[in-house]
Amino acid sequence: MSIFQENVSLKSYNTFGIEVKARYFVAVASEDELRAVFADPLAKTQRLLVMGGGSNMLFTHDFDGLVVKMDIQGISHEIAGGQVSVSAGGGVVWNDLVNYCVSHGFAGLENLSLIPGTVGASPIQNIGAYGVELKDVFAWCSAFEIATGQIKTFGYADCAFGYRDSIFKNELKGQFIITKVGFNLSQTAQLHTHYGAINAELEKRNIVDPSIADVSAVVSHIRVSKLPDPKTIGNAGSFFKNPVIEPEQFKQLVQKFPEVVHYPVAEGKIKLAAGWLIEQCGFKGMVVGRTGTWKNQALVLVNHGGASGQEVYDFSEQIIQAVQAKFGVALEREVNIL
């Protein structure tokens, strides 16, 4: 009997809610099950897609290959001298891990509250929000090497983290499946509240000396106010990366648009707010057929019901062209296109 299901709908497995089918599908709950999948001759002949929460992908057509859904669970921790080591299975829902850490008083993940997706996907994308990135707390990850069936461990230096980037999106793309991730956290909080609207929301709540639980609650509130719930309206969160530009280009841009929203980043470069750029081009809350941008955040593309992936993709292309024409800035999609 085959371990693979055939012609499986992926609508409930992707947060855009796009109706597409996978030729073959299997869910795995352990490293041993993963080995069994790739020991099967069928797996060696199929195009492969590994899915976690399906929150960072846009399907533009059926997937003619094998979808492996990662369901490896479990969270554990060890404490030594105020430092906390936490590990979590690749299939754990990211926000469940954040809530676990906040409830135990482990600081470091609170700014990353309510980011959709799973733990296993977090190092690939080097997820980030409100001034914190995964790389700031990353210790190691275990990954299954598809070619050999072996589990290998990657430390921080091995992962070549960049802005929404890692070695798993580049040199090692498609070669490994992350099964477990380890994090270095602390019982002593070093809060990051300067980014975005965190401080303003804390002040509104009359919180002068915030805890990590306060920061997590505020970040969650801000995200909910800006972002639609995928259970209600299909979306993948931020569709575009915030562009990072050279100082010379920024100098020219700010002369023409003095109010441009920006943040300094490493090596003297400047990060622009993609949402602001898109909004200035008139796209915020726009509805085009069955797709559009979210009314509260122009960075989020949505499926109003029944949209195809191609419709969403074509609309994103309109946005890219409009921002390029107005600002001379090239937007890059953060969402994976399939």
Side-chain angles (χ1 to χ4, degrees), residues 220-264:
S220 298
H221 169 80
I222 295 167
R223 289 187 76 91
V224 168
S225 70
K226 284 184 176 181
L227 305 174
D229 183 347
K231 294 186 187 77
T232 310
I233 184 165
N235 73 92
S238 299
F239 196 90
F240 300 99
K241 296 180 184 180
N242 288 319
V244 176
I245 63 173
E246 298 291 341
E248 193 53 47
Q249 185 182 359
F250 177 71
K251 198 185 293 181
Q252 294 170 3
L253 189 65
V254 81
Q255 284 174 354
K256 206 171 175 187
F257 303 98
E259 69 286 12
V260 62
V261 178
H262 63 281
Y263 309 93

Side-chain angles (χ1 to χ4, degrees), residues 16-307:
F16 255 117
I18 303 293
E19 179 55 272
V20 290
K21 284 187 165 64
R23 178 74 180 89
Y24 297 101
F25 179 92
V26 64
V28 295
S30 69
E31 290 176 350
D32 284 343
E33 287 185 15
L34 204 49
R35 286 190 186 93
V37 165
F38 287 95
D40 191 299
L42 183 138
K44 295 175 171 61
T45 64
Q46 296 297 315
R47 187 174 163 220
L48 176 68
L49 174 64
V50 180
M51 287 185 75
S55 60
N56 196 44
M57 50 183 57
L58 175 67
F59 287 97
T60 57
H61 48 73
D62 289 343
F63 188 76
D64 186 19
L66 170 63
V67 170
V68 177
K69 171 79 170 72
M70 291 298 289
D71 277 337
I72 298 175
Q73 299 298 313
I75 305 173
S76 62
H77 70 267
E78 293 178 1
I79 301 172
Q83 294 304 301
V84 186
S85 299
V86 176
S87 64
V92 171
V93 171
W94 175 260
N95 203 50
D96 290 351
L97 172 65
V98 175
N99 290 338
Y100 175 96
C101 293
V102 170
S103 67
H104 282 79
F106 304 155
L109 297 183
E110 55 278 358
N111 287 48
L112 306 180
S113 296
L114 227 57
I115 291 178
T118 55
V119 168
S122 62
I124 299 170
Q125 184 74 359
N126 184 24
I127 60 171
Y130 298 102
V132 175
E133 290 184 310
L134 176 103
K135 68 179 179 64
D136 302 329
V137 291
F138 178 88
W140 54 268
C141 68
S142 298
F144 174 86
E145 187 171 24
I146 294 167
T148 65
Q150 294 181 333
I151 300 293
K152 298 197 172 179
T153 301
F154 291 82
Y156 176 91
D158 302 320
C159 294
F161 289 121
Y163 174 57
R164 301 296 173 270
D165 203 16
S166 72
I167 196 166
F168 301 108
K169 286 179 82 171
N170 298 294
E171 298 98 305
L172 300 184
K173 186 174 182 177
Q175 296 178 42
F176 286 87
I177 299 173
I178 295 173
T179 57
K180 190 182 268 192
V181 184
F183 304 87
N184 288 326
L185 305 179
S186 176
Q187 291 182 295
T188 308
Q190 289 187 303
L191 298 179
H192 299 272
T193 60
H194 59 284
Y195 199 100
I198 297 177
N199 273 332
E201 186 60 32
L202 287 168
E203 285 174 20
K204 201 187 289 183
R205 298 180 183 207
N206 296 315
I207 298 172
V208 180
D209 186 19
S211 65
I212 59 171
D214 292 326
V215 173
S216 177
V218 162
V219 167
S220 298
H221 169 80
I222 295 167
R223 289 187 76 91
V224 168
S225 70
K226 284 184 176 181
L227 305 174
D229 183 347
K231 294 186 187 77
T232 310
I233 184 165
N235 73 92
S238 299
F239 196 90
F240 300 99
K241 296 180 184 180
N242 288 319
V244 176
I245 63 173
E246 298 291 341
E248 193 53 47
Q249 185 182 359
F250 177 71
K251 198 185 293 181
Q252 294 170 3
L253 189 65
V254 81
Q255 284 174 354
K256 206 171 175 187
F257 303 98
E259 69 286 12
V260 62
V261 178
H262 63 281
Y263 309 93
V265 289
E267 296 156 10
K269 294 182 180 178
I270 312 293
K271 181 160 70 174
L272 306 178
W276 184 88
L277 298 172
I278 296 165
E279 193 174 331
Q280 298 308 302
C281 293
F283 282 98
K284 187 176 180 181
M286 184 182 285
V287 178
V288 178
R290 297 175 293 186
T291 185
T293 50
W294 183 235
K295 59 187 178 182
N296 298 333
Q297 173 53 274
L299 197 53
V300 178
L301 273 58
V302 296
N303 174 4
H304 286 295

